[in-house]
Amino acid sequence: MKGRILFRIVKGGLLSIILYTPLIHATKGIGTLTTTYILILFLSMLWLLRMNGQRSFRFINSPLNLPLALFLLFALLSTLFSINKGASLSELYKVILFILLYFLLINNLKEKYQFRSLFLAILSIGGIVAAYGLYQYFSHWPNLTEISSTFPPNPNSLAGYLLLIIPLAFVYALFASSKWLSGMGFVITFLTYSCLFATHSRGGRLALFGSLILFLTLIFKYLRRKELLRARWRFLTLVLLLILLSGTLSSLRLIPKPPSAQQIPQVEEAGSSPRIEAQGPRYPLREYFHRGFTPLAGIFPATVRKNSLSPLEGKQILSPNPPNPQHRNYSNSDASSDILLGEPLSFRSFSFQRTSTNKFIFDRLKIWGRTLEIIRDYPLLGSGMGTYGIIFKRHKIPTPLTSGTIARYGQSARFAHNEYLQIAAETGLPTLIIFLWIITLILRTGLRTLKESQVAQEVYGKRLTVNGKPFITIGLLSGLTGVLLHSFIDFVLRPPATDILFIYFIAFIMLQAKAGDGQTDRRTDGQTHYPDSLFHHLYHSPLIRGSLIICVALILAGQATLPLIAYRHYRKGIDHQKNKAFDQAISSYLTAQRLEPTNDRYHKNLGDLYRHLALLFKEERSFWLEKATEECEKMVRLSPRDNHYRRDLGVIYWLASQGRDRLLMNKAITQFKESLRIDPTFPFSSFALGVIYAKIGWVDKAIERFERAVYYEPNYAEAHYNLATLYVSQGLFKKAIAEYQEIVEIENKNLFPKVSCGYEKALLSFDYSLAHHGLRSSLKKVAKF
């Protein structure tokens, strides 16, 4: 009786995972993901307790047992040698629990009604997700734009999820014996197919085309003529429906759209000063400020201070004519202080670091080429799971500068847009080979099941069992194939909801093969006789084993919960810091670090707060800088290949040196050089080195560094200004005039309204009146000669 209750709870838990994971932001949030982890552990504990109560441990002998064990082994080795162990550990935990979910499925799904309920749940939830996506699509008629439904922010992720649902809906629409089930299949087909087109995912459409080809091939190869004739009218109806939907959705995009507010020209009054219309960026700016993209504005200000000091010379500017107040100043004091000390980093997950509003910034072929370079550098174990975005910074792709482009090297990617290349880059080529082995076994098992099966005459009812073969198997194989094809050109397996449904489909295929082959379970019977010893009596006692199972499950659940609790304290720290409750913010950050010590983000924010307090309380400067140094050093140890962290540590060393301590100055120079070794195109580390060299008196090296900064980023206004200042100090007035003119040209381009990220804002943040004043002064000096 107790075993039945536990079995029903496990069955209900497996059904609930299917129901809620796609609806709550595809389970991307840390809260939902942690809940899923705990639920999987809880169900696994109940499954083991049920077998323990029956004194009989039975496990399915799956063909995937060996490759999954090898995959987990290489994932563990990759994590041990990862360039960021915190990111890799979280990914490793996800891999372990998803493998556990697979074994939970194949060992607990045995009855036909369980499959029926799960298939109906999958179709129902897929229809709900698709219906919500269509609502998003038509809610701003006629401005039809791409949608992502419950899979924000990338529409391609939604397309990957729908690719699993659509072939299964085809099966129900064509071959269900019940009319209402067939009608449900047609409705789900209409919703999911329309929603897939509404995502505007070209890769999703191509993958769907490949999936349909496989679906038709398997249908005509493995179904008897009698079954095909019976479903001919449904088949014709489905084909007409798909053609009609394709034509209608394609024609909708041809409807002229009304001009947006940004496209309507603004008429200014005569004599008014130039006005810049504020345009909200599509992506957060604060993230980039605290990742270290910005210049050292709080240390070497480019803005006009109270005493109007030049950033490098430290001398008062002698201006016979005051700066023109009509010149634009994009580097107000609030902005410069925010760049160094502003709001803490609150969200680090991103797909692209975009530098324009164009949707497709990167050519996928170039990204794949850079990924192959990463694989060449880390062929055996990769750089570590979850570290692609860090290692890609060394392989950034330059963007040609145009009239609307601000940055050349501000682009970075977290995903390779090819799951197979990303697996090889993060975990090594052996892991990719094992993954392909797993996929081959899945497809081979499904095809063998079709070959050995007799055609089921109905997809619902008594004949819809794991022994009645091909209908469901064809839908499952077609859905998996669509996702695998889409994985060649996008990162569709990254949302946890898609991963979970993918695992369910694999388990269904394996269970179909198990039932058809009549495989027996591996069995450990409680009646086996063991040597008569105290140890064996204790070990084989149901009470002892049950207690051990519960203890292990609770420990693992606690480990899964710690990151969530740490994140909550981290968010509290951010709120306290915004409210200037610094003591509470420090306490919250420290609590988050104790709960999750491998998360470099927590050290990053606490280090930024200490640095802020060092500049805020001058009398305690050395104490807070020492604290900031400790946090930044921990941050660098956790992620030594992050060039932004290296630069942040260099900033702390420079602040602590106060321009006098040579030891700390050398440490700062070392960190900036290491940052440039990781990413030679990073202009802000070159800028920082140039400032230090200028302070020391190494003018030639300073000029070289500033020249390198403006070479990689020609729109870096502050670097142009410092370079011009050094040229003036060397008497090279013509070169200085050229640099000042570059700054004036940047100002005349009016690029600031086009800023879409903090990297671009850092390049343009400058008081352009200084350039106009310097240009006039240099022209006067040249005229004298």
Side-chain angles (χ1 to χ4, degrees):
M1 184 65 181
K2 294 181 180 179
R4 286 184 180 179
I5 295 176
L6 294 179
F7 178 72
R8 290 178 180 177
I9 295 175
V10 172
K11 180 186 66 177
L14 293 175
L15 181 61
S16 66
I17 291 176
I18 281 292
L19 293 176
Y20 79 84
T21 49
L23 297 180
I24 310 178
H25 294 285
T27 320
K28 294 180 181 179
I30 185 173
T32 313
L33 189 59
T34 302
T35 302
T36 305
Y37 289 166
I38 295 175
L39 181 57
I40 293 173
L41 289 170
F42 176 71
L43 297 178
S44 302
M45 180 188 70
L46 296 183
W47 164 46
L48 294 175
L49 288 176
R50 179 170 64 88
M51 291 191 295
N52 180 64
Q54 296 172 351
R55 300 194 177 186
S56 178
F57 286 86
R58 296 189 178 102
F59 301 96
I60 298 298
N61 184 17
S62 169
L64 300 183
N65 289 356
L66 177 60
L68 285 177
L70 292 176
F71 186 89
L72 184 59
L73 174 62
F74 276 91
L76 177 60
L77 293 175
S78 176
T79 301
L80 292 176
F81 296 95
S82 173
I83 63 174
N84 189 319
K85 290 183 173 57
S88 297
L89 282 173
S90 62
E91 292 295 321
L92 177 64
Y93 201 88
K94 181 165 67 174
V95 169
I96 293 173
L97 288 181
F98 283 177
I99 292 176
L100 181 60
L101 175 63
Y102 166 76
F103 286 107
L104 187 63
L105 286 167
I106 65 172
N107 284 279
N108 288 275
L109 297 180
K110 299 177 182 179
E111 302 296 335
K112 64 178 183 181
Y113 69 89
Q114 298 171 4
F115 287 88
R116 180 178 60 191
S117 59
L118 285 174
F119 289 144
L120 292 178
I122 290 171
L123 290 175
S124 301
I125 293 301
I128 293 173
V129 171
Y132 181 67
L134 291 176
Y135 167 75
Q136 287 182 337
Y137 189 66
F138 291 103
S139 60
H140 296 91
W141 175 272
N143 294 310
L144 303 178
T145 59
E146 60 186 26
I147 49 92
S148 57
S149 186
T150 58
F151 285 72
N154 197 321
N156 293 312
S157 300
L158 174 60
Y161 180 80
L162 296 176
L163 284 171
L164 291 169
I165 306 291
I166 292 175
L168 194 60
F170 286 170
V171 168
Y172 271 78
L174 293 175
F175 303 111
S177 60
S178 172
K179 290 184 179 180
W180 78 268
L181 279 178
S182 178
M184 175 185 176
F186 274 103
V187 171
I188 300 300
T189 299
F190 169 79
L191 293 174
T192 53
Y193 188 83
S194 302
C195 188
L196 179 62
F197 262 74
T199 61
H200 297 173
S201 173
R202 294 172 290 185
R205 296 176 186 178
L206 291 175
L208 178 62
F209 181 72
S211 177
L212 291 178
I213 291 177
L214 178 65
F215 182 84
L216 295 175
T217 302
L218 296 179
I219 286 292
F220 287 108
K221 184 174 181 179
Y222 293 106
L223 289 187
R224 293 182 299 183
R225 181 183 179 87
K226 180 179 178 181
E227 296 299 327
L228 293 175
L229 291 175
R230 181 180 298 176
R232 64 185 184 276
W233 294 113
R234 293 183 182 180
F235 183 80
L236 290 175
T237 304
L238 182 62
V239 171
L240 291 176
L241 176 63
L242 297 183
I243 293 175
L244 180 62
L245 287 176
S246 301
T248 304
L249 294 172
S250 299
S251 62
L252 286 176
R253 299 190 64 184
L254 301 178
I255 298 177
K257 301 178 178 60
S260 61
Q262 295 179 0
Q263 295 174 339
I264 300 176
Q266 301 291 333
V267 179
E268 299 183 359
E269 299 179 1
S272 62
S273 59
R275 183 179 60 186
I276 300 176
E277 297 294 336
Q279 299 180 6
R282 294 182 57 186
Y283 300 93
L285 300 182
R286 296 296 183 187
E287 175 179 348
Y288 296 90
F289 294 166
H290 300 280
R291 295 286 295 151
F293 282 98
T294 53
L296 309 181
I299 307 172
F300 314 110
T303 57
V304 180
R305 305 302 179 187
K306 293 182 178 179
N307 54 357
S308 299
L309 295 182
S310 173
L312 286 175
E313 294 178 332
K315 301 176 181 179
Q316 188 169 357
I317 298 175
L318 301 177
S319 174
N321 300 316
N324 189 343
Q326 290 187 355
H327 293 315
R328 302 178 183 126
N329 180 359
Y330 293 127
S331 59
N332 54 65
S333 59
D334 293 337
S336 60
S337 62
D338 284 348
I339 287 173
L340 184 63
L341 310 167
E343 298 177 4
L345 173 65
S346 59
F347 183 65
R348 186 177 173 182
S349 176
F350 54 90
S351 168
F352 286 108
Q353 294 176 354
R354 306 194 179 191
T355 57
S356 71
T357 57
N358 295 329
K359 177 181 176 183
F360 298 104
I361 296 180
F362 295 119
D363 183 356
R364 278 176 169 81
L365 292 177
K366 293 181 179 179
I367 295 181
W368 298 340
R370 295 297 195 272
T371 307
L372 291 175
E373 295 176 2
I374 297 174
I375 296 173
R376 181 195 60 194
D377 296 338
Y378 300 89
L380 186 59
L381 296 175
S383 61
M385 291 186 295
T387 62
Y388 183 86
I390 298 175
I391 201 66
F392 188 84
K393 294 171 185 175
R394 185 178 176 85
H395 305 272
K396 289 188 294 187
I397 303 171
T399 300
L401 287 180
T402 62
S403 58
T405 306
I406 299 174
R408 290 180 61 195
Y409 288 93
Q411 305 170 348
S412 184
R414 188 182 176 185
F415 303 110
H417 284 262
N418 184 306
E419 291 288 355
Y420 309 99
L421 290 179
Q422 181 148 352
I423 289 174
E426 291 187 343
T427 57
L429 289 173
T431 309
L432 175 62
I433 294 173
I434 296 172
F435 179 77
L436 295 177
W437 180 19
I438 293 173
I439 297 302
T440 303
L441 285 176
I442 295 168
L443 299 178
R444 183 180 173 184
T445 302
L447 294 176
R448 188 178 70 244
T449 302
L450 292 175
K451 291 178 182 179
E452 296 175 353
S453 65
Q454 295 183 357
V455 178
Q457 296 184 9
E458 295 177 346
V459 76
Y460 176 75
K462 294 182 178 180
R463 298 186 182 182
L464 180 58
T465 64
V466 289
N467 292 314
K469 290 299 177 309
F471 296 134
I472 293 298
T473 304
I474 290 173
L476 296 174
L477 286 176
S478 301
L480 292 178
T481 302
V483 171
L484 294 173
L485 290 176
H486 198 187
S487 297
F488 278 103
I489 53 179
D490 230 312
F491 47 95
V492 294
L493 289 178
R494 298 296 154 175
T498 306
D499 291 339
I500 289 172
L501 187 58
F502 193 83
I503 293 169
Y504 270 72
F505 275 37
I506 294 173
F508 292 152
I509 291 175
M510 292 300 163
L511 286 170
Q512 293 270 6
K514 180 188 78 70
D517 295 343
Q519 295 179 10
T520 58
D521 301 339
R522 289 186 176 180
R523 180 168 181 169
T524 303
D525 197 340
Q527 301 298 325
T528 305
H529 295 284
Y530 299 99
D532 190 10
S533 66
L534 177 61
F535 172 77
H536 285 90
H537 278 296
L538 291 176
Y539 178 74
H540 296 288
S541 169
L543 180 61
I544 299 298
R545 286 185 302 193
S547 301
L548 181 62
I549 291 170
I550 294 174
C551 289
V552 172
L554 291 177
I555 291 173
L556 293 177
Q559 291 296 319
T561 309
L562 288 180
L564 175 61
I565 301 175
Y567 181 76
R568 298 302 182 194
H569 284 282
Y570 167 69
R571 293 299 308 177
K572 288 181 180 178
I574 291 176
D575 295 336
H576 289 316
Q577 187 172 347
K578 289 180 180 179
N579 297 328
K580 297 184 179 181
F582 299 126
D583 291 338
Q584 293 88 332
I586 292 174
S587 177
S588 297
Y589 287 145
L590 289 175
T591 303
Q593 289 181 8
R594 285 193 296 269
L595 294 172
E596 193 180 3
T598 59
N599 195 320
D600 53 335
R601 178 172 52 181
Y602 303 156
H603 296 282
K604 163 68 178 171
N605 275 41
L606 185 56
D608 287 343
L609 177 57
Y610 286 149
R611 182 173 60 180
H612 172 54
L613 295 176
L615 298 179
L616 190 63
F617 302 106
K618 301 295 183 180
E619 64 278 2
E620 300 177 356
R621 178 188 179 94
S622 59
F623 172 77
W624 293 118
L625 285 179
E626 183 179 353
K627 291 284 188 180
T629 303
E630 293 176 0
E631 295 301 325
C632 288
E633 288 175 347
K634 293 177 183 177
M635 178 178 68
V636 169
R637 284 197 296 270
L638 290 172
S639 185
R641 299 286 298 175
D642 195 318
N643 62 308
H644 305 130
Y645 288 173
R646 295 281 184 178
R647 179 208 174 246
D648 289 346
L649 182 56
V651 170
I652 296 298
Y653 284 144
W654 172 253
L655 282 172
S657 71
Q658 299 183 1
R660 295 188 296 269
D661 192 326
R662 284 302 181 98
L663 178 61
L664 292 177
M665 291 172 65
N666 288 334
K667 287 185 176 181
I669 292 173
T670 301
Q671 294 301 323
F672 290 133
K673 287 183 176 179
E674 183 65 21
S675 174
L676 290 174
R677 188 186 69 82
I678 297 172
D679 182 8
T681 66
F682 192 51
F684 305 115
S685 291
S686 293
F687 177 88
L689 277 176
V691 171
I692 294 177
Y693 289 154
K695 288 286 185 179
I696 295 175
W698 299 346
V699 179
D700 293 339
K701 288 187 175 182
I703 290 175
E704 178 186 354
R705 286 300 169 184
F706 288 129
E707 288 178 344
R708 182 168 293 274
V710 299
Y711 170 77
Y712 286 118
E713 294 295 353
N715 289 326
Y716 194 175
E718 190 170 5
H720 280 293
Y721 178 78
N722 285 356
L723 187 58
T725 304
L726 290 177
Y727 285 150
V728 169
S729 67
Q730 298 296 306
L732 304 174
F733 296 108
K734 291 185 178 180
K735 289 186 176 182
I737 290 173
E739 297 300 325
Y740 287 132
Q741 289 175 344
E742 287 286 340
I743 301 175
V744 173
E745 184 178 351
I746 294 172
E747 179 188 14
N748 293 335
K749 290 179 182 177
N750 195 21
L751 295 174
F752 211 86
K754 303 175 183 178
V755 167
S756 63
C757 64
Y759 185 99
E760 295 176 343
K761 184 176 181 180
L763 295 178
L764 300 179
S765 294
F766 184 67
D767 183 1
Y768 291 90
S769 62
L770 291 175
H772 289 276
H773 169 73
L775 179 60
R776 288 194 299 270
S777 300
S778 298
L779 289 174
K780 289 179 180 180
K781 292 181 180 178
V782 170
K784 292 180 180 180
F785 295 100

